[in-house]
Amino acid sequence: MTTLFDPIRLGDLLLPNRIVMAPLTRNRAGAGQTPTPLMVEYYRQRANPATGAGLIITEASQISPMGQGYLDTPGIHTAAQIAGWRAVTDAVHAQGGRIVIQLWHVGRISHVSLLPGGAAPLAPSAIRARAKTFVKDGFVDVSEPRALAADELPGIVEDYRIAARNAIAAGFDGVEVHAANGYLLDQFLRDGSNRRTDAYGGPVENRARLLMEVMRAVTAEIGAVRTGIRLSPVTPANDASDSDPQTLFNHVVEQLSPLGLMYCHVIEGATGAARDFAPFDWEALRRRFEGPWMVNNGYDRALADEVIARGRGDLVAFGKPFISNPDLGRRLREGAPLNPLRQQLLYGGGAEGYTDYPALG
Ligand code: 8OZ
């Protein structure tokens, strides 16, 4: 019987176990949205697969200045950012670990104070989300977005392609395209945020068009074996809504499968919410995807064992438990108690609540 502690092949990577550190926004980037030495230490602490993660997925990292939606999130679009990430990937690899970067464009989930020249956030349609973001002065409502013109979309696809190339230049083992949680690609997928009447709106085939163009560009640039994706079919996060998520995401996963991706990562439910708060046929999605299937949200050892033993998932991504336990892999294996999370230290700040969680002696 397969367990969390059995190896698995993801593309060209052989992971020693199936324990994944989920992408986690921590808002600790330095000037120029550049990864800092403190971030190097945070990832290094979690990188050794014998005690930490078999695979680390970085915090969401914007592909362009317009892709940023929160204070102090890192980017992967400047030379300084690439150099900062190189220090992270070198530290992870020195521990024997593996790491991919999550590529992010927030779309309408942003604020004019974060964007170049005070620009309006970009969206499929000019519909403001009922959502908050975090800026210099604290939590604020997101700004009114402007609808992207069709002739601007090739530029967005190109930004993803260049970000993927930058990721490889920075030493990453691959990328995860963030198509979840109500950000740009998810905004195009869903009819609650996409009211376009061109080839990128209307039927699900059209709403999935931008995502598929991005996935084809990224896989052509760095290889499908180095490209994963994250989806969140039922999340209401960031005002995400769709009239028929099952049909939508069945279609999306059917389209993704033939690309031969490194993995498909799904958030079962909504981050921080009950796992079963919305009915959804997860098996129907899983059946439609040929490659490795990564599950996330509210997993503990028992649930992870069950899902892997039954083949409902191949890997399990742990989020908050990895924040408060740098040696989560070891604790799961030994059944050791977990450090409690200090919730108020999640976003922004320094070492406190970041690199000061103790490992087992
Ligand atoms: C928490 C705070 C800010 C952003 C996501 C990237 O939900 C995020 C995020 C999470 O995917």
Side-chain angles (χ1 to χ4, degrees), residues 246-247 249-251 253-254 280-289 293 312:
Q246 189 81 55
T247 300
F249 284 93
N250 284 355
H251 171 81
V253 171
E254 260 166 29
F280 194 80
D281 184 353
W282 298 102
E283 300 274 0
L285 278 198
R286 207 263 184 271
R287 273 199 308 276
R288 286 172 162 78
F289 191 77
W293 192 253
R312 277 216 308 107

Side-chain angles (χ1 to χ4, degrees), residues 7 36 43 51 54 95 98 100 109 128 164 169 178 188 196 230 233 273 297 309 340 353 356:
T36 65
Y43 286 111
T51 53
Q95 294 294 311
R98 289 143 192 87
V100 300
I109 306 300
R128 190 178 190 164
H178 192 346
F188 269 83
R196 299 177 73 95
R230 195 178 206 210
N297 202 26
D356 65 350

Side-chain angles (χ1 to χ4, degrees), residues 25 60 70 102 104 178 181 183 230 238 347:
T25 289
Y70 303 81
Q102 197 190 46
W104 196 24
H178 192 346
N181 291 347
Y183 298 112
R230 195 178 206 210
N238 293 315
Y347 306 119

Side-chain angles (χ1 to χ4, degrees), residues 8-347:
I8 184 169
R9 177 165 292 284
L10 286 195
D12 296 335
L13 297 180
L14 188 62
L15 306 190
N17 62 59
R18 290 135 183 272
I19 300 167
V20 177
M21 179 174 166
L24 294 155
T25 289
R26 305 304 306 275
N27 308 81
R28 283 165 168 86
Q33 291 76 52
T34 300
T36 65
L38 190 65
M39 289 169 62
V40 174
E41 173 61 8
Y42 164 77
Y43 286 111
R44 189 198 63 76
Q45 288 175 345
R46 289 154 181 79
N48 182 339
T51 53
L55 175 71
I56 291 174
I57 305 167
T58 71
E59 64 207 276
S61 302
Q62 57 269 7
I63 60 165
S64 64
M66 285 303 293
Q68 183 175 353
Y70 303 81
L71 190 68
D72 295 339
T73 56
I76 183 69
H77 56 87
T78 73
Q81 291 162 0
I82 295 170
W85 282 121
R86 169 55 81 170
V88 171
T89 64
D90 282 348
V92 168
H93 290 144
Q95 294 294 311
R98 289 143 192 87
I99 183 166
V100 300
I101 184 169
Q102 197 190 46
L103 301 185
W104 196 24
H105 192 305
V106 297
R108 65 178 180 164
I109 306 300
S110 189
H111 189 264
V112 290
S113 70
L114 296 165
L115 297 174
L122 303 174
S125 303
I127 306 168
R128 190 178 190 164
R130 284 158 298 182
K132 301 243 181 226
T133 181
F134 184 78
V135 299
K136 198 155 59 60
D137 302 321
F139 284 95
V140 293
D141 288 341
V142 298
S143 302
E144 181 81 33
R146 99 173 153 79
L148 281 155
D151 67 5
E152 293 179 282
L153 299 179
I156 303 258
V157 174
E158 181 67 0
D159 288 343
Y160 276 98
R161 188 183 67 74
I162 293 170
R165 188 175 69 194
N166 291 346
I168 299 306
F172 284 103
D173 298 302
V175 306
E176 175 177 287
V177 173
H178 192 346
N181 291 347
Y183 298 112
L184 183 70
L185 297 173
D186 204 22
Q187 289 159 28
F188 269 83
L189 289 179
R190 296 170 188 268
D191 57 18
S193 43
N194 182 344
R195 305 280 169 77
R196 299 177 73 95
T197 54
D198 62 7
Y200 294 85
V204 291
E205 295 75 19
N206 284 1
R207 284 183 271 136
R209 191 177 307 281
L210 181 65
L211 172 64
M212 294 310 299
E213 289 178 356
V214 166
M215 297 308 289
R216 280 191 288 268
V218 169
T219 57
E221 183 66 32
I222 66 168
V225 289
R226 294 198 284 196
T227 308
I229 188 163
R230 195 178 206 210
L231 304 171
S232 58
V234 299
T235 193
N238 293 315
D239 207 12
S241 73
D242 190 81
S243 56
D244 185 359
Q246 189 81 55
T247 300
L248 170 61
F249 284 93
N250 284 355
H251 171 81
V252 166
V253 171
E254 260 166 29
Q255 296 289 302
L256 291 169
S257 185
L259 297 180
L261 298 178
M262 178 166 51
Y263 62 81
C264 182
H265 180 185
V266 293
I267 304 172
E268 298 170 325
T271 301
R275 284 176 48 78
D276 55 358
F277 82 102
F280 194 80
D281 184 353
W282 298 102
E283 300 274 0
L285 278 198
R286 207 263 184 271
R287 273 199 308 276
R288 286 172 162 78
F289 191 77
E290 290 257 357
W293 192 253
M294 185 186 298
V295 296
N296 166 251
N297 202 26
Y299 276 86
D300 58 15
R301 168 82 197 263
L303 204 53
D305 280 345
E306 186 188 312
V307 94
I308 291 199
R310 293 199 182 165
R312 277 216 308 107
D314 301 308
L315 306 109
V316 179
F318 297 87
K320 286 177 178 167
F322 251 121
I323 292 179
S324 54
N325 298 277
D327 56 347
L328 182 66
R330 177 178 174 194
R331 289 179 196 240
L332 290 172
R333 190 158 30 84
E334 296 180 2
L338 302 186
N339 297 319
L341 181 74
R342 285 167 287 161
Q343 183 88 27
Q344 71 286 2
L345 299 172
L346 283 180
Y347 306 119

